[in-house]
Amino acid sequence: MAHVLVVDDEPKLGRVVAQMLELDGHSIALAGGGRDALAHLGQAPFDVVITDLRMPEVDGLAVLQAARATKPPPEVILMTAHGTAESAVAAMKAGAADYVTKPFSMDELRLRVGRLAAQRASELERARLVARLTPDLVAVSPAMTSVLAAVRQVAPTDASVLLLGESGTGKSQLARAIHYGSRRASGPFVEVHCAALPESLLEAELFGYEKGAFTGATQRKAGHLAASGGGTLFLDEIGEVTPATQVKLLRFLQDRTFVPVGATEARSVDVRVISATNRDLDDAVRSGAFREDFFYRLNVFAIRVPPLRERREDVGPIADRFLASRGLPAEKLSAAGRDVLDGHDWPGNVRELENALERALILAGDGEIRPEHLSAGAGSRARARDAADLVGPGFSLDAFERELLLAALAKAGGSKTRAAAFLGVTRRRLYSLLESSGGDPDR
C-alpha cells in the first residue's frame, strides 16, 4: 500500500478523504493547507499526494511543484471545485498525474489512488532491478568521465552505438549500461560474440532458421534478433564479421526486417543495435574488408573507450572496487602494491588488472597484497627492456610476429583457442595472423 499525503484547507473534506483511503490500507498524512503540505514534504517521502487546487497563501500548483522536486517524486492528484479545461491543462503540464473536480465520487478517487500506487510500486521495483543490473563503472579520470557522459547522453535514444577500443577495456559493460539506461531496460539484452562462431553458424544464430533449412535443422529456431525484440542486441567483435553477413545485417539495420535461414518471407522486430570492435574499422573500410555502408549504419554514435594506460587515475579505484566486491577493505592492497599497479601499462586493460588482483589474492592469503604478489609491474619493465634489445640490424617485425605466434601455440600445447587467449585475440584473428605470417604449422 502507498504512503499518501492529503492536502485540503477544508478540514472536514480532508478527514473524509483520509479515512476512506485508510480503509484501503494506505498510510495517510493530513495537511490543513499548502504551507503545512510543504512541511510534510520536507520531512518524509510520499507515493501519492492529493491536494486541493485553490488554497490561500500556498496553492495546489505550488504543492505540486514542491512534490515533483522531491526524490523520488510522488504522483500528484489535484482536486478543485473550479474545474475548467484551462486549469486541467495547466495542472497536467506542471506534472500532475490526475485531476478530479468537486464534488467527486469517493470510490472513483479510491480507484485512481490505487491505480497510481500500483503503478508507482511497479516503477520503483523496476528502478531497483535496473540499478542492480547496471554495471558499476569506475570513472575518476577525465577520459572515462567523458565516456560515461556520452553513455548517459545516448542511452535514452534508440540510436545505434559503436563502441571502439582495445580488448579488456569494458565495452561489454558499457553496452549494458546503455541498455539499462534506456527505455528498453525492461526488455532483453542479448549479447553475441561474432568472432566466436563460423560464418554459417553465425547467420543461423542471428537470424534463426526454419525446420529442414539445413542438415541437422530438425525444428524451427528463433535467432538472436527475434530473442532481443523490445530490447537490445549487442554485437561484440563486429569487425570480424564477413562481408556476406555484413550485407544481411545491413538490410536489418536499414529497415529492421530479416529473413530466417530457409524462410521466404521477411520478418520485422523492434531492436536497438549496439556493436563493439577492437579493430580500426576505418582501415578495414579503406582496404575493402568492411563495407562502407554497413560501417555508417553502425557508426551513428561512436564512443571510443580509452585503454587503461590513458586513464591511470582509475587504476586505484578499480582495484578498490574489485576488493570491495569480495568483501575486502581497500587496505588489503599495500601502498607498495599500489605503486606496482600504478607503474604498469596494463596492455590487457581492466581485464588484465582484475586477473592480476585475483592471482594476488591467492598468493597473499590473509595478509596484505605486496609487490611480490603482483608480478605485472616487474614483468612489464623486463619485457620492455627485452623488446628494446631486439630492435637493431637484421630485425624483422614479420619474423618476430611469427616467432610470437609459434611460442603462444607451444605454450598452449597446440590449442589454438588457448593460444588466442594468451595473445588477447580471437581464434579467427589467430588463424588470420598465422596465414599472413606463413601458414598454420599444423597443416
Side-chain angles (χ1 to χ4, degrees):
M1 292 292 103
H3 190 199
V4 181
L5 175 62
V6 178
V7 187
D8 203 312
D9 60 343
E10 297 180 23
K12 184 177 180 180
L13 178 59
R15 285 195 299 270
V16 170
V17 171
Q19 290 168 1
M20 292 300 293
L21 293 176
E22 282 178 338
L23 292 175
D24 290 337
H26 300 296
S27 170
I28 307 298
L30 183 58
R35 193 173 299 282
D36 191 17
L38 298 184
H40 277 83
L41 289 169
Q43 294 171 0
F46 292 91
D47 299 305
V48 179
V49 174
I50 305 169
T51 179
D52 193 14
L53 180 59
R54 296 290 181 91
M55 295 183 294
E57 296 183 355
V58 178
D59 66 6
L61 287 178
V63 173
L64 167 64
Q65 292 170 356
R68 298 302 294 169
T70 62
K71 301 295 181 183
E75 302 293 349
V76 180
I77 299 175
L78 285 172
M79 47 185 187
T80 180
H82 307 278
T84 65
E86 291 78 8
S87 58
V89 169
M92 302 306 276
K93 283 185 176 180
D98 214 335
Y99 183 95
V100 292
T101 304
K102 299 177 182 178
F104 50 80
S105 163
M106 196 60 67
D107 286 339
E108 179 185 359
L109 180 61
R110 291 167 63 190
L111 285 172
R112 295 190 186 193
V113 171
R115 175 178 57 80
L116 289 175
Q119 174 183 312
R120 179 176 173 81
S122 175
E123 290 174 350
L124 290 176
E125 179 58 30
R126 174 182 173 275
R128 283 191 288 268
L129 177 62
V130 167
R132 264 199 321 271
L133 294 172
T134 302
D136 180 20
L137 299 168
V138 174
V140 176
S141 65
M144 199 61 187
T145 299
S146 65
V147 166
L148 293 195
V151 165
R152 288 191 294 270
Q153 186 176 16
V154 75
T157 74
D158 266 343
S160 296
V161 180
L162 178 61
L163 300 171
L164 304 165
E166 297 176 6
S167 295
T169 51
K171 297 188 293 296
S172 176
Q173 296 290 83
L174 288 171
R176 289 179 182 275
I178 293 170
H179 170 71
Y180 289 113
S182 74
R183 65 178 181 83
R184 299 175 177 271
S186 58
F189 178 84
V190 178
E191 185 169 353
V192 181
H193 295 276
C194 299
L197 298 168
E199 181 181 1
S200 57
L201 186 56
L202 176 61
E203 181 183 354
E205 289 295 311
L206 276 175
F207 303 108
Y209 53 82
E210 297 295 309
K211 180 179 179 180
F214 50 83
T215 302
T218 57
Q219 59 183 8
R220 179 183 179 186
K221 180 181 178 181
H224 292 307
L225 276 174
S228 54
T232 301
L233 177 67
F234 175 45
L235 299 173
D236 199 8
E237 299 185 64
I238 191 66
E240 307 300 324
V241 172
T242 63
T245 304
Q246 291 174 32
V247 172
K248 296 184 173 84
L249 282 171
L250 174 61
R251 175 183 177 180
F252 172 73
L253 289 172
Q254 287 173 334
D255 55 22
R256 289 301 190 266
T257 64
F258 65 98
V259 180
V261 178
T264 56
E265 295 183 357
R267 296 169 191 170
S268 62
V269 64
D270 175 27
V271 174
R272 181 188 197 167
V273 175
I274 301 175
S275 52
T277 183
N278 57 14
R279 295 185 61 188
D280 186 335
L281 292 188
D282 286 314
D283 280 349
V285 168
R286 284 191 289 270
S287 68
F290 206 83
R291 290 181 62 100
E292 185 175 20
D293 47 2
F294 183 48
F295 171 66
Y296 289 132
R297 285 287 178 179
L298 294 173
N299 194 30
V300 175
F301 193 95
I303 300 176
R304 179 184 175 271
V305 187
L308 198 51
R309 62 183 173 275
E310 293 181 10
R311 53 180 185 114
R312 292 182 181 274
E313 304 97 316
D314 294 329
V315 172
I318 291 173
D320 292 340
R321 182 197 61 185
F322 177 87
L323 294 172
S325 70
R326 284 152 178 77
L328 298 169
E331 292 73 24
K332 177 72 174 178
L333 180 59
S334 68
R338 289 183 183 274
D339 289 341
V340 171
L341 297 186
D342 290 340
H344 185 45
D345 280 343
W346 302 111
N349 296 295
V350 178
R351 187 180 299 133
E352 182 190 357
L353 172 58
E354 291 180 343
N355 288 344
L357 288 168
E358 189 77 61
R359 178 177 181 274
L361 283 177
I362 297 171
L363 295 174
D366 294 333
E368 278 188 325
I369 296 176
R370 299 188 299 275
E372 59 265 31
H373 304 135
L374 294 161
S375 59
S380 65
R381 287 188 287 272
R383 285 193 296 273
R385 286 194 300 270
D386 292 344
D389 292 341
L390 287 173
V391 180
F395 174 80
S396 167
L397 184 59
D398 289 339
F400 181 74
E401 181 182 84
R402 178 71 176 174
E403 289 300 318
L404 181 62
L405 292 170
L406 295 178
L409 283 169
K411 183 177 180 181
S415 168
K416 294 183 175 61
T417 300
R418 292 181 61 203
F422 287 148
L423 295 170
V425 299
T426 65
R427 197 167 186 269
R428 182 182 294 176
R429 178 67 174 156
L430 177 66
Y431 276 113
S432 175
L433 290 169
L434 284 170
E435 289 298 326
S436 64
S437 66
D440 189 338
D442 293 337
R443 292 181 182 173

